[in-house]
Structures are given as structure tokens and as C-alpha cells.
């Protein structure tokens, strides 16, 4: 998410909002203020990928050894000053954000087209101004951070919400990222990753309280401002006429400000001088031109409310808005309890009030004050529970109302939730006498209760991070609420969810819970008709995974069951997902259940897991040969066999390049890889590098679906692949270099090279696929692969044979249900 125009406005109009801070000093201040509490920074990892990827080469498929080294330096720099890092990754694309996701993916496609046009024109990598992160970077960054011993989490909804919730709940030192929404959330301080100097650990802190001071607003007004300006939920055009009216009546238009800056000032002025005047007397929809967008607007405002928070702008719950029917949140720590407790509601008007308001400034807290103190949180004291409780203010009376009130103050206890702490402080709501947890132990793997929605009469899983015990169902939009999990076994869902949250699996939880997955852009050349998109190359593998995860592929199931795939490939307008059906798979002994794969601890179960993994790649017949290959080259062999069977335009020179780079990588240091120089850049080699890396991400999916028969280190790219090294070997192989020259005259690698090549070629021959050199190709041979969606008409052709053109090429993208393995070579 992000607020339209706010980033530029802060930089140009309100530079005083930005303060230079030093993490070493912040950590020391935090330790002195909260003895025994480890200073923790919660990191929005998706915002940091571009900052972390420092290798000069990025177009060849990724410099993974260099990248891993850069991540280690980042982690070590914070550890050296005693700061703990907690990393969050996006785990789901919310239905309400799908249009924005599609818009960005299509924009990326245009950027990728320009990159390949530049490579074909100049035969070199474009400048950093055209930088595009290597395929699979986000996925493998999760595994890299876990390898480095870092707490790494994957979100169950939009990651920025869970980042903000975590930072607030655990009294974190701050949030590190690059998203203006962190100025809107009422949470801990927000630090910029783009301004971070790793050597000095200095960066910029953006203060929401100073932003409010500049705009004449309260912190509780910021969600309203964000939605009026437009964000990922509210389209920018929805309130365009309203913003124009605000700008027309705004008397302090600054000529030296840009248009967006003046719009932000004008809308803020309208909120402070017009909307505030009638706040508490009129409903928000009476003061704003919401029209048919009323429900969406309220949903946008509610999306910024963290667990336990409410908005003073919700004078009365809009009956048309399902989200706000859940304004009263179940705060019980007992999953069986049906009792609901209002968050913080004034009893007469029933009006929700801000969770936390500073008595003098009337601004929401935690406060961000002078750089010396960095964070001030005014508290009121609950004597019985011995816990500080944030103050809130009733908008009409302006009277301070504590969240939880007990008579006669006795003792003040700082709200410092140390993640390692085993204690869960409790406060008591006076009417229900029900215990309400204010923080939860992060290691608890408690399955969230299932909430029954009266409007749809469907049971839906709660969408909140397991570390946040106060679930907030307001943020589930109606599309999500109507979804029913495809796997009904609660034990399996719990295990899948746990692996997802702990960033140990890839896509599995999305498949079993919602039957919908996505894959972002890949560096693929839409003009190369001989090489397929990775979306189609690995689709048969995913189809077999669907069979494994969703049940046996009987006729009655396959006729109706389909997984929605939002995969980006050239020619796909992404108007609709591809509906992809499970594909029958053959596993010796039959298809095992998920319980036997995931929960069975007997020694024989590991062999069954490996059988399932090989069956997903249709490699059961090559089991013995693959097991004879040492790790980590076993995973590479598995992928190469699959690729060369699937894509008959791959030739012997390609195989030599793949195998030679993997062997040479074992003997090279990171510094040697940095110093490699390429004569020129080949667009085909660029795409081949991305194709292999996407194969490694597919291995991550299969491995987690099969119960982890392989260690993750066996298919991590920094152990198997270096983009620049592969590119070098590809250019050498294309020029006809001998095997000895490819292996840099290292005789110890020669035997291993021929053994690996023999395993791949033998397995391919079992599928009647003979790998030949490029010189053996006929002059008219272009292969059977082409680009889906490149023709104007569609066909239901299901399969084809090599040498017969591209029989599936005219299948239009986005709506066809795919049920056969028509992409596999016959």
C-alpha cells in the first residue's frame, strides 16, 4: 500500500518531518528506558529488496553468493549494536488489492520489454535506472534470512498491516521500510530503508506527529486523509472531483508547491476546518460525497485500524458495510467464548473513539517527540492490573476516557513486551470481567478461532497474524469472507498455516486455504518464440502438486476443482486467473495422504516424501540415478531433466553450460564471482537463467508440499547458480569451447561433469528426448514452444508433438480451464 503523492510531499514540502537518527543511540536509549527489553526493529522485507540487492550484475539471473553476503552484512550491522530484527514478507494478495497488483505487474511487463530491447540493441546490461530485481528474490531472501538465524515471518494478509501491528504490540524500536502507509498507521516510529547508511547505522525517521502538526490534523485523522487522497484500496479517481473542490476553495495555495502537494494541503485543510466542525453531529457520509463507494471508503479507513484501535469518524456503523458490522471485536482469550467486548466506546452515543490520545495535543500516540527521546507514550494507570493503559478521548465531550478503568491508582508498569518473555499481561474490562490479552508470546502457534459470519452463514478463518492475539475481522472484505478452504482437515490447515507464517513453505497454504496463487514477473523475452514462459514450463508440476494437496484426481473432482493461477507471462492481460485443474500423478504405492507426508515420523515416511517429490516432476523412473548424485547437484539434475524433457528447443550446448557453471561455482569465492567479466549479454541466456531460478522456486513449492524430503540448502541458488558465471559458460559453450575449457582445465571436475551429463541424458532418453547439439538442428527447426495469447483466436487443442509448430499457442490467456498435461513433450 501507499498514499498517493505523500512521499513526494514529505520530501519537498515538509522536510522537518524527517529527522536523522542513529540506531546505535536509539538502542541505547531504549535499553535505559526499558531494562531487560531487547530493542527490536520490525522490517518490511518487501520494501528492502532493492536496497539489499547490491551486486552490480542483475540481469543474468542473480548473483546469489554476493546477495547472501550482503544480507549477512546487513544482519551483522544491527546485531553489533544489540538490535534484534524481525522480518515480514507478503504472504497473500488480498482480494481488494488484486487490481492494484495486476496494474503493477503489467507495468513491470513494459519495463521488462524495454530491458530486452536494450539488450538486443546494445548487447550489454542496462544501467541501474532500468534495474529489475532478479526472479525469485523475495522467496529466496526468506530462506537466506532463516539460514542466517533471523526471525522471518510471512503474512496472512497485506504485510504492512502485520508489520504495523507487530511494532505496536511489542513496543518495537521502530519499523524499517519504504511505504508511506507507515506514516498513517498509529504505531511505533517509522524509519526509511532507502536513507539507511549501513556503516554508520544512520537513517531518516519520519514523524507522523510532526506531519499532523504541519497539516493541522490529529493522528486519528490520517486514515481519513489517506483514503481521500487514494491508496491501494481507494482508486485515485474516486475522489478526484472532491479534491478539486477542496483545492478551489483553499486560500493558501503555495505557488512554489507542486499540484499534489497543494492537494494534500487543501484536503487536510478541509478535514480540519470543515469536517472537524461537524464531527460527532453528522455522519461521515453526510459530509463527504461517498455515494455508491460508501462501503469501499469505510473499508479503506478501517484497513488502517490496528487491533484494539477504532476511528472517531465512525459516528454510526454503516449498515451497508459488512466490515463495520464487526466493529465490536471479540477480545476473549478463550476461543470458545462468544462474548464480545467493545473496544473503547462512549456508552451514550455508542461512538467509537481513538484507542490512544495524548491529553494535551489530542493526537494519537505513541508520540514521536524530540530526537533525544525518540518516543513518548503518555499513559494512565490501571491499579488492579498494575498496567499502563493508553488514554482515549471522546470526540464530543473532549473528556479523557481510559481504555480500562479500575478505582484508585496503585502502581505504574511500563508496557514493554519482550518477545522472549513468557508473561502475558492482562487487563480487565469492567463490565464483562473478561481477561483481555494486551500482548502475546510470539512463539505461540495457537490456531485462530473460526468466526461465523451472519451475513453469509459461512465459517471463515480469521485473517490475523498468530502473534497478534487480538484478531481484527474488520479488514476481511466480502470476497475473502465468502471463500471456503479447499482442504477441510483442521489439523492439515493448522500445519500449513504454521509453515506459511514461519516462512518455511511456499504457496502451499494459499492452495489449501483459498485455491488461489500468484507469481510475479520474470525476466522473459516476449519476442523469443523458441523459449516458453516459466509459467507454462512448470505448470504440470504445479498441477501434480494440486493433486497431492487437494485429493486424488478422480473424474468427479477434476471436473469441478480448479486452482486460480495469477501468473505473469507475456500476452496475459491478467483480467482473470487461469483456472488450472489437478493432473493425475503416479507414485509407487499410490498417492499418500497429507497426514502421512506431513505428520508421520516413521523412517519409511521419508522415502515416501521423496517418491512424491520425484513424481511431481514425473521422474520416478530415474529415482536410483538421482539418489546417486551428491547434494546439492541432485536438485540441479532433477530440474535439468525436467526442463530438457519439457522444452525441446534446449540443446546440448545449454546442458554443458548449466552443468559446467554448477561445478565451477563450487570452487569460486564471492570475490572471484564479483570480478567475472562478460564479453556481451545474450538475451537467450538471460531468459535461461531466469527459467532455472524459477525452477528452484518450484522445487521449494514441491518440497514443502511433500513434507520436506530435501533440506532447503539443496536447492538454494547460492549453492547451485550464479547468473554471471552461467552467462560466461553459455557464451563459451555457444562458441564451441571444449568441456575441458568450460571446466577451466580442472581435471577433478571432468568425471563429475560426465556423470551428471549421463544422468540427465539417460533420463531424457526414457522419455524419447534425445539432446543434440545446435549444429544437428535442421535450419527450419524453431521448436514447438511459442507465446500463449499471441494470436487473435483460441483453440481447445490439448496436446501436440514436437515439430508441429505451437498447437497451444492460440489458447487465450486468463479464462481457459487447463486440465491436461498439454505442455509436456510427447
Amino acid at each position: 500500500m501507499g498514499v498517493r503523492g505523500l512521499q513526494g510531499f514529505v520530501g519537498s514540502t515538509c522536510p522537518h518531518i524527517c529527522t536523522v537518527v542513529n540506531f546505535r543511540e536509539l538502542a541505547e536509549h531504549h535499553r535505559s528506558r526499558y531494562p531487560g527489553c531487547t530493542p527490536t526493529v520490525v522490517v518490511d522485507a518487501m520494501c528492502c529488496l532493492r536496497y539489499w540487492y547490491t551486486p552490480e550484475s542483475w540481469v543474468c539471473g542473480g548473483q546469489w553468493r554476493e546477495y547472501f553476503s550482503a544480507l549477512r552484512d546487513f544482519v551483522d550491522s544491527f546485531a553489533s549494536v544489540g538490535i534484534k530484527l524481525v522480518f515480514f514478507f507478503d504472504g497473500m494478495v488480498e482480494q481488494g488489492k488484486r487490481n492494484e497488483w495486476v496494474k503493477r505487474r503489467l507495468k513491470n511487463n513494459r519495463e521488462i520489454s524495454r530491458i530486452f530491447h536494450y539488450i538486443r540493441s546494445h548487447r550489454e546490461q542496462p544501467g541501474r535506472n532500468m534495474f529489475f530485481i532478479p526472479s525469485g528474490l523475495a522467496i529466496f531472501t526468506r530462506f537466506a534470512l532463516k539460514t542466517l538465524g533471523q526471525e522471518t515471518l510471512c503474512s496472512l494478509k497485506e504485510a504492512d498491516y502485520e508489520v504495523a501491528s507487530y511494532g505496536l504490540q511489542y513496543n518495537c524500536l521502530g519499523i524499517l521500510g519504504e511505504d508511506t502507509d507507515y506514516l498513517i498507521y498509529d504505531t511505533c516510529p517509522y524509519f526509511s530503508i532507502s536513507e539507511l547508511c549501513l556503516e554508520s547505522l544512520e537513517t531518516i525517521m519520519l514523524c507522523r506527529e510532526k506531519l499532523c502538526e504541519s497539516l493541522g490534523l490529529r493522528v486519528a485523522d490520517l486514515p481519513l486523509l489517506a483514503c481521500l487522497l487514494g491508496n491501494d484500496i481507494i482508486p485515485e479517481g474516486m475522489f478526484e472531483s472532491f479534491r478539486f473542490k477542496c483545492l478551489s476553495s483553499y486560500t493558501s495555495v503555495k505557488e512554489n508547491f507542486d499540484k499534489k502537494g497543494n492537494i494534500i494541503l487543501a484536503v487536510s485543510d478541509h478535514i480540519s476546518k470543515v469536517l472537524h466542525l461537524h464531527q460527532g453531529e453528522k455522519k461521515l457520509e453526510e459530509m463527504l460525497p461517498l455515494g455508491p463507494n460508501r462501503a469501499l471508503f469505510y473499508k479503506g479507513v478501517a484497513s488502517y485500524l490496528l487491533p484494539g484501535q477504532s476511528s472517531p469518524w465512525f459516528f454510526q456503523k454503516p449498515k451497508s458495510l459488512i466490515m463495520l458490522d464487526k466493529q465490536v471485536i471479540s477480545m476473549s482469550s478463550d476461543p470458545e467464548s462468544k462474548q464480545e467486548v467493545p473496544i473503547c466506546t462512549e456508552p451514550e452515543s455508542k461512538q467509537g473513539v481513538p484507542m490512544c490520545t495524548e491529553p494535551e495535543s489530542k493526537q494519537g500516540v505513541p508520540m514521536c517527540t524530540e530526537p533525544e527521546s525518540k518516543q513518548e507514550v503518555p499513559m494512565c494507570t490501571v491499579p488492579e492490573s498494575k498496567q499502563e493503559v493508553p488514554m482515549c478521548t471522546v470526540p464530543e465531550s473532549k473528556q479523557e476516557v481510559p481504555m480500562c478503568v479500575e478505582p484508585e491508582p496503585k502502581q505504574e508498569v511500563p508496557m514493554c513486551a519482550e518477545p522472549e518473555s513468557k508473561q502475558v499481561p492482562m487487563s480487565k474490562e469492567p463490565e464483562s470481567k473478561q481477561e483481555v490479552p494486551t500482548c502475546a508470546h510470539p512463539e505461540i502457534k495457537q490456531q485462530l478461532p473460526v468466526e461465523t459470519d451472519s451475513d453469509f452463514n459461512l465459517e471463515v478463518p480469521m485473517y490475523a497474524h498468530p502473534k497478534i492475539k487480538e484478531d481484527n475481522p474488520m479488514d476481511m472484505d466480502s470476497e475473502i469472507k465468502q471463500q471456503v478452504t479447499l482442504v477441510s482437515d483442521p489439523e492439515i490447515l493448522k500445519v500449513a498455516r504454521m509453515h506459511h507464517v514461519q516462512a518455511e513453505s511456499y504457496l502451499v497454504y494459499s492452495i489449501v486455504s483459498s485455491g488461489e496463487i500468484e507469481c510475479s514477473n520474470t525476466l522473459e523475452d516476449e519476442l523469443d518464440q523458441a523459449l516458453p514462459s516459466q509459467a507454462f514450463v512448470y505448470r504440470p508440476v504445479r498441477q501434480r502438486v494440486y493433486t497431492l494437496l487437494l485429493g486424488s484426481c478422480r473424474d468427479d473432482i477434476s471436473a469441478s476443482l480448479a486452482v486460480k493461477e495469477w501468473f505473469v507471462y507475456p500476452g496475459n492481460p491478467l483480467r482473470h486467473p487461469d483456472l488450472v485443474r489437478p493432473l493425475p500423478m503416479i507414485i509407487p504405492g499410490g498417492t499418500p495422504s497429507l497426514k502421512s507426508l506431513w505428520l508421520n515420523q516413521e523412517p519409511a515416511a521419508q522415502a515416501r516424501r521423496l517418491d512424491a517429490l520425484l513424481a511431481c516432476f514425473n521422474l520416478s523412473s530415474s529415482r536410483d540415478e538421482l539418489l546417486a548424485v551428491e547434494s546439492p547437484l541432485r536438485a540441479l539434475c532433477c530440474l535439468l531433466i525436467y526442463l530438457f524433457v519439457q522444452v525441446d528447443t534446449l540443446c546440448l550446448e545449454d546442458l554443458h553450460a548449466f552443468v559446467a557453471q554448477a561445478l565451477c561455482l563450487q570452487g569460486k569465492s564471492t570475490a572471484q564471482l564479483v570480478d567475472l567479466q562478460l564479453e556481451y549479454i545474450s538475451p537467450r541466456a538471460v531468459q535461461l537463467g531466469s527459467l532455472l531460478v524459477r525452477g528452484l522456486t518450484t522445487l521449494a513449492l514441491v518440497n514443502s508440499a511433500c513434507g520436506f524430503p530435501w533440506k532447503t540448502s539443496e536447492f538454494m541458488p547460492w549453492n547451485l547458480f550464479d547468473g554471471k558465471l552461467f552467462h560466461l559458460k553459455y557464451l563459451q559453450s555457444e562458441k564451441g569451447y571444449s568441456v575441458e575449457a568450460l571446466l577451466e582445465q580442472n581435471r577433478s571436475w571432468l568425471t563429475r561433469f560426465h556423470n551428471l551429463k549421463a544422468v540427465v541424458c539417460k533420463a531424457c532418453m526414457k522419455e524419447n528426448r534425445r539432446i543434440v547439439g545446435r549444429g544437428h538442428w535442421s535450419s527450419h527447426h524453431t521448436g514447438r514452444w511459442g507465446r500463449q495469447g499471441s494470436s487473435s483466436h483460441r483453440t481447445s487443442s490439448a496436446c501436440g508433438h514436437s515439430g508441429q509448430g505451437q498447437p497451444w499457442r492460440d489458447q487465450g490467456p486468463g479464462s481457459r480451464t487447463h486440465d491436461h498435461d498439454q505442455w509436456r513433450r510427447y
Side-chain angles (χ1 to χ4, degrees):
M1 292 176 67
V3 182
R4 305 286 190 263
L6 188 56
Q7 186 72 47
F9 174 79
V10 168
S12 62
T13 309
C14 301
H16 64 281
I17 293 172
C18 306
T19 306
V20 177
V21 294
N22 185 281
F23 276 115
R24 184 189 302 273
E25 297 172 3
L26 292 177
E28 291 173 356
H29 177 76
H30 191 276
R31 277 189 291 267
S32 64
R33 189 171 183 182
Y34 304 113
C37 189
T38 304
T40 302
V41 172
V42 55
V43 183
D44 186 338
M46 301 302 289
C47 294
C48 301
L49 294 178
R50 288 174 173 266
Y51 175 88
W52 288 332
Y53 192 86
T54 56
E56 181 181 345
S57 175
W58 49 269
V59 80
C60 297
Q63 304 308 110
W64 296 98
R65 285 267 185 91
E66 294 178 58
Y67 181 63
F68 188 87
S69 178
L71 283 178
R72 183 169 49 221
D73 291 342
F74 181 86
V75 168
D76 290 345
S77 295
F78 282 88
S80 67
V81 296
I83 293 178
K84 175 184 176 181
L85 299 175
V86 178
F87 298 87
F88 273 84
F89 287 82
D90 281 328
M92 300 277 189
V93 176
E94 297 181 45
Q95 294 302 313
K97 311 287 182 64
R98 180 61 71 185
N99 288 339
E100 187 65 26
W101 185 89
V102 167
K103 187 188 302 182
R104 291 174 182 174
R105 302 291 82 76
L106 295 178
K107 178 184 176 184
N108 288 346
N109 273 345
R110 294 190 292 271
E111 294 174 358
I112 290 173
S113 295
R114 288 195 292 269
I115 289 171
F116 276 100
H117 176 75
Y118 185 94
I119 292 173
R120 284 191 297 271
S121 302
H122 298 83
R123 305 218 310 171
E124 65 182 18
Q125 176 180 278
R128 193 76 178 188
N129 61 312
M130 297 178 71
F131 172 73
F132 197 87
I133 63 172
S135 302
L137 191 69
I139 301 161
F140 290 118
T141 301
R142 302 180 202 171
F143 292 110
L145 291 169
K146 293 185 78 69
T147 301
L148 293 168
Q150 299 303 295
E151 184 172 357
T152 308
L153 303 168
C154 202
S155 69
L156 291 168
K157 57 185 300 177
E158 190 79 12
D160 60 358
Y161 182 89
E162 295 192 16
V163 167
S165 299
Y166 189 100
L168 177 65
Q169 180 178 354
Y170 292 110
N171 192 29
C172 290
L173 193 64
I175 292 168
L176 187 60
E178 202 68 31
D179 190 334
T180 49
D181 276 326
Y182 293 126
L183 274 173
I184 307 299
Y185 287 112
D186 189 0
T187 183
C188 59
Y190 161 42
F191 305 110
S192 169
I193 181 66
S194 65
E195 300 294 332
L196 175 65
C197 175
L198 201 57
E199 289 74 20
S200 64
L201 283 180
E202 287 187 347
T203 189
I204 297 297
M205 178 178 71
L206 294 91
C207 183
R208 64 184 64 85
E209 283 72 27
K210 290 182 180 180
L211 174 64
C212 287
E213 183 182 342
S214 300
L215 299 176
L217 301 176
R218 306 165 305 191
V219 170
D221 298 328
L222 291 178
L224 175 63
L225 174 67
C227 291
L228 291 175
L229 294 175
N231 53 28
D232 284 358
I233 292 180
I234 308 298
E236 191 172 10
M238 183 180 294
F239 292 103
E240 188 172 3
S241 59
F242 169 77
R243 293 192 295 269
F244 179 77
K245 289 179 181 179
C246 291
L247 188 62
S248 300
S249 59
Y250 184 50
T251 58
S252 303
V253 173
K254 304 293 193 301
E255 293 183 0
N256 57 331
F257 292 170
D258 59 14
K259 181 180 178 182
K260 286 189 175 181
N262 279 318
I263 286 176
I264 292 174
L265 291 170
V267 173
S268 301
D269 186 71
H270 184 83
I271 293 173
S272 63
K273 293 181 180 177
V274 179
L275 301 187
H276 278 178
L277 186 64
H278 302 289
Q279 188 178 10
E281 300 173 4
K282 294 182 179 180
K283 300 176 184 178
L284 188 58
E285 56 264 28
E286 295 176 2
M287 298 187 286
L288 291 174
L290 299 184
N293 302 312
R294 182 180 178 217
L296 182 61
F297 177 77
Y298 276 105
K299 172 190 165 187
V301 175
S303 70
Y304 289 106
L305 303 180
L306 303 179
Q309 295 180 351
S310 61
S311 172
W313 293 102
F314 295 156
F315 178 74
Q316 182 178 347
K317 294 186 296 182
K319 295 180 180 179
S320 65
L321 182 58
I322 296 172
M323 309 291 287
L324 296 183
D325 286 341
K326 302 300 178 183
Q327 176 83 18
V328 178
I329 302 175
S330 173
M331 303 285 282
S332 172
S333 59
D334 180 9
E336 301 300 322
S337 172
K338 301 298 181 185
Q339 185 173 6
E340 294 184 332
V341 182
I343 303 173
C344 182
T345 306
E346 202 280 323
E348 294 183 6
S349 68
K350 307 297 181 189
Q351 177 179 349
V353 294
M355 181 193 76
C356 191
T357 306
E358 203 279 332
E360 295 180 5
S361 67
K362 300 294 182 288
Q363 292 182 5
V365 293
M367 291 293 293
C368 171
T369 59
E370 294 304 318
E372 291 77 18
S373 62
K374 302 300 180 285
Q375 186 176 3
E376 293 291 335
V377 185
M379 296 292 183
C380 71
T381 306
V382 179
E384 296 284 343
S385 65
K386 297 183 176 55
Q387 180 179 350
E388 293 180 340
V389 178
M391 297 290 292
C392 63
T393 301
V394 181
E396 290 184 10
S397 65
K398 307 301 180 187
Q399 179 181 357
E400 294 168 0
V401 180
M403 287 280 291
C404 303
V405 181
E406 298 289 348
E408 300 301 322
K410 291 183 182 178
Q411 185 179 355
E412 223 175 80
V413 180
M415 288 182 67
C416 175
E418 167 60 27
E420 280 75 30
S421 172
K422 303 295 181 184
Q423 298 178 351
V424 180
M426 311 294 285
S427 62
K428 292 189 177 181
E429 205 283 336
E431 293 182 9
S432 68
K433 306 300 181 188
Q434 180 178 336
E435 288 189 333
V436 181
T438 57
C439 64
H441 192 283
E443 303 301 327
I444 292 177
K445 307 294 191 302
Q446 176 182 351
Q447 187 178 18
L448 291 173
V450 171
E451 178 198 8
T452 303
D453 181 85
S454 57
D455 297 277
F456 295 105
N457 238 0
L458 290 176
E459 287 192 338
V460 294
M462 302 283 281
Y463 273 62
H465 196 277
K467 295 198 171 192
I468 301 166
K469 300 289 284 297
E470 298 173 350
D471 300 324
N472 190 356
M474 286 192 299
D475 300 297
M476 293 186 299
D477 44 15
S478 57
E479 295 89 350
I480 292 179
K481 296 183 78 174
Q482 293 183 71
Q483 291 180 358
V484 179
T485 56
L486 297 186
V487 173
S488 58
D489 189 329
E491 189 174 16
I492 289 299
L493 285 173
K494 183 177 180 180
V495 173
R497 185 180 186 278
M498 180 186 70
H499 287 310
H500 171 90
V501 168
Q502 297 299 321
E504 295 168 351
S505 67
Y506 171 56
L507 294 182
V508 169
Y509 183 67
S510 298
I511 295 169
V512 300
S513 64
S514 65
E516 187 170 22
I517 61 172
E518 57 276 323
C519 180
S520 188
N521 305 78
T522 303
L523 279 178
E524 296 175 338
D525 186 2
E526 62 182 352
L527 298 182
D528 186 345
Q529 295 292 306
L531 286 176
S533 168
Q534 64 89 18
F536 301 112
V537 172
Y538 298 110
R539 177 173 279 173
V541 180
R542 299 193 301 273
Q543 289 177 281
R544 297 187 186 102
V545 169
Y546 302 156
T547 297
L548 204 62
L549 296 177
L550 304 178
S552 58
C553 196
R554 301 188 307 270
D555 291 339
D556 57 336
I557 294 180
S558 62
S560 59
L561 182 64
V563 173
K564 298 176 182 178
E565 289 190 351
W566 294 90
F567 273 60
V568 182
Y569 51 84
N572 183 7
L574 293 171
R575 295 190 187 96
H576 308 284
D578 290 332
L579 303 179
V580 181
R581 291 175 179 163
L583 189 68
M585 61 191 304
I586 301 174
I587 302 178
T591 303
S593 67
L594 290 182
K595 283 192 174 181
S596 67
L597 288 175
W598 294 4
L599 304 176
N600 192 337
Q601 302 301 319
E602 297 177 2
Q606 189 68 2
R608 298 283 287 153
R609 295 182 185 108
L610 180 58
D611 287 339
L613 182 146
L614 294 177
C616 286
F617 287 94
N618 199 36
L619 294 177
S620 299
S621 62
S622 300
R623 185 183 195 277
D624 294 339
E625 291 88 344
L626 285 169
L627 289 181
V629 178
E630 73 271 24
S631 175
L633 298 176
R634 182 187 303 123
L636 178 68
C637 268
C638 177
L639 275 183
L640 291 180
I641 295 169
Y642 179 82
L643 279 175
F644 277 80
V645 170
Q646 285 290 119
V647 187
D648 59 5
T649 55
L650 294 177
C651 61
L652 196 61
E653 288 83 357
D654 301 326
L655 178 61
H656 287 177
F658 278 124
V659 176
Q661 78 84 30
L663 290 173
C664 293
L665 180 62
Q666 313 303 315
K668 292 194 181 296
S669 66
T670 302
Q672 288 175 313
L673 294 172
V674 172
D675 291 337
L676 288 177
Q677 299 296 320
L678 299 176
E679 183 180 349
Y680 63 93
I681 298 295
S682 162
R684 185 173 186 273
V686 168
Q687 185 160 338
L688 285 179
S690 295
L691 186 61
L692 185 79
V693 172
R694 284 299 187 193
L696 296 176
T697 65
T698 304
L699 253 177
L701 163 63
V702 175
N703 195 55
S704 48
C706 296
F708 307 100
W710 284 349
K711 296 179 181 179
T712 55
S713 60
E714 295 198 47
F715 50 88
M716 290 298 103
W718 46 87
N719 294 328
L720 284 171
F721 180 81
D722 179 90
K724 198 159 52 168
L725 180 60
F726 167 71
H727 217 96
L728 176 66
K729 299 305 173 185
Y730 176 89
L731 297 179
Q732 292 175 347
S733 182
E734 191 177 45
K735 291 178 179 178
Y737 278 40
S738 66
V739 172
E740 290 79 6
L742 290 176
L743 297 177
E744 301 169 5
Q745 310 302 327
N746 189 318
R747 300 185 63 85
S748 64
W749 292 339
L750 191 59
T751 301
R752 297 170 69 191
F753 177 93
H754 286 298
N755 288 340
L756 292 173
K757 178 182 174 181
V759 170
V760 174
C761 291
K762 180 179 178 181
C764 289
M765 285 300 294
K766 291 179 182 179
E767 299 292 328
N768 296 320
R769 165 71 159 107
R770 181 168 174 261
I771 305 174
V772 298
R774 189 171 286 110
H776 289 80
W777 287 1
S778 60
S779 59
H780 65 275
H781 180 83
T782 59
R784 124 185 120 78
W785 289 101
R787 289 292 177 200
Q788 179 161 344
S790 57
S791 181
S792 59
H793 67 280
R794 300 180 180 184
T795 177
S796 59
S797 173
C799 59
H801 298 274
S802 179
Q804 294 182 348
Q806 295 84 22
W808 59 271
R809 176 178 173 181
D810 297 325
Q811 298 167 10
S815 60
R816 174 173 156 72
T817 300
H818 306 278
D819 51 358
H820 298 296
D821 190 359
Q822 67 260 45
W823 297 277
R824 183 169 177 271
R825 181 182 183 276
Y826 289 86

